[in-house]
Amino acid sequence: MKILALDTSTDACSAACDNDGEIASRCVVTPHGHAGLILGMIRDVLESTGTEMKDLDFIACGRGPGSFTGVRIGVSVAEGLAFGLGLKIAPVSDLAAQAEREFVEHPDADTVIVANDARMKEVYAAVYTREGSSFKEAMPESVLSPEDAAEKFTALAGDGVKCVLAGSGFGVYAPLQEFANGRLLSKALYPDSGCIMRIARRAAEEGKLLLPDEVVPSYVRNEVAWKKVGEQGKKHPV
């Protein structure tokens, strides 16, 4: 199976290619410039694995949640390539991609809790539990205040639950830092295309690939970019 995977939804801009088991990946962590980086990374991983675009079986991409601009860049690039090549797409939740890595790296864990900084004093959050050789959602991806996220996580991480915490939110907000105290916290802050590719491979095997125009980005919240102005704290889009 020949797969190209890419993700620009978070600060980690990444691409990976699997050419029948020969895998190459590239990742750069930067808050800006994903649009200028991703095409070069795609070219690099294809060349490193000796893969021609025309030989790809499908394309995988991170569909968010994450940076509004970043999500749009990644999904748009995947759709453009898929349209041109006549391929289908496997859109993958970036939160699920982080859970995928932790379940692989911690085979004794039965729960992974993900919280990524969403700015605006909120986090993108989700909880996953192991199910056979894969995992399932125990709490769907949501945008929450750190206080609400910590409360929900506490209810799901009771005594005897072997859990791993992943994501940038745990290092930013005090309620989540308090929740993380004494629990296993991953050093990996962001998803990457290798994790996305593993989930996408399972989606392909289950016949769950989509046509390019069926792919829907996941922004989770509608108020994507707001700032408070004025003494009354009125919100205006920026």
Side-chain angles (χ1 to χ4, degrees):
M1 190 176 288
K2 295 175 174 59
I3 309 167
L4 172 66
L6 61 104
D7 185 41
T8 62
S9 296
T10 69
D11 284 359
C13 180
S14 66
C17 183
D18 182 352
N19 186 342
D20 296 328
E22 184 174 352
I23 298 173
S25 62
R26 302 286 186 273
C27 183
V28 175
V29 177
T30 175
H32 307 292
H34 293 41
L37 288 169
I38 191 61
L39 293 179
M41 298 172 109
I42 290 172
R43 181 183 61 249
D44 287 349
V45 296
L46 291 171
E47 290 178 353
S48 295
T49 56
T51 308
E52 297 286 340
M53 279 278 197
K54 62 181 179 60
D55 294 328
L56 290 171
D57 292 300
F58 67 92
I59 295 172
C61 71
R63 61 160 176 78
S67 157
F68 179 64
T69 300
V71 172
R72 287 191 300 172
I73 290 169
V75 171
S76 295
V77 170
E79 288 177 331
L81 292 174
F83 271 122
L85 296 166
L87 298 177
K88 290 186 176 182
I89 296 176
V92 175
S93 163
D94 281 87
L95 303 184
Q98 287 176 265
E100 167 74 16
R101 176 176 49 225
E102 302 309 326
F103 279 123
V104 170
E105 294 188 0
H106 301 281
D108 60 334
D110 46 38
T111 298
V112 174
I113 298 174
V114 185
N116 282 338
D117 185 12
R119 309 293 192 269
M120 297 164 61
K121 297 181 180 180
E122 293 178 321
V123 292
Y124 297 121
V127 178
Y128 302 90
T129 56
R130 192 183 295 277
E131 184 176 59
S133 59
S134 185
F135 55 90
K136 64 180 180 179
E137 280 187 340
M139 185 187 92
E141 54 188 38
S142 312
V143 61
L144 301 168
S145 70
E147 294 80 7
D148 286 346
E151 182 179 347
K152 289 179 180 294
F153 295 164
T154 300
L156 291 167
D159 294 340
V161 177
K162 297 179 180 178
C163 66
V164 180
L165 315 184
S168 58
F170 291 104
V172 176
Y173 299 108
L176 292 175
Q177 291 171 340
E178 182 178 349
F179 170 78
N181 187 35
R183 293 185 168 92
L184 181 58
L185 180 62
S186 172
K187 294 180 180 179
L189 298 180
Y190 307 107
D192 62 63
S193 292
C195 306
I196 287 170
M197 191 158 56
R198 287 197 295 268
I199 295 176
R201 188 181 293 111
R202 294 198 294 269
E205 291 169 352
E206 296 170 3
K208 295 180 179 179
L209 301 180
L210 303 179
L211 294 171
D213 59 2
E214 296 175 326
V215 176
V216 178
S218 175
Y219 300 119
V220 178
R221 65 183 173 201
N222 293 322
E223 292 181 357
V224 176
W226 296 86
K227 67 177 180 181
K228 288 187 177 181
V229 297
E231 295 181 355
Q232 290 76 29
K234 293 180 181 179
K235 290 183 178 181
H236 295 274
V238 296

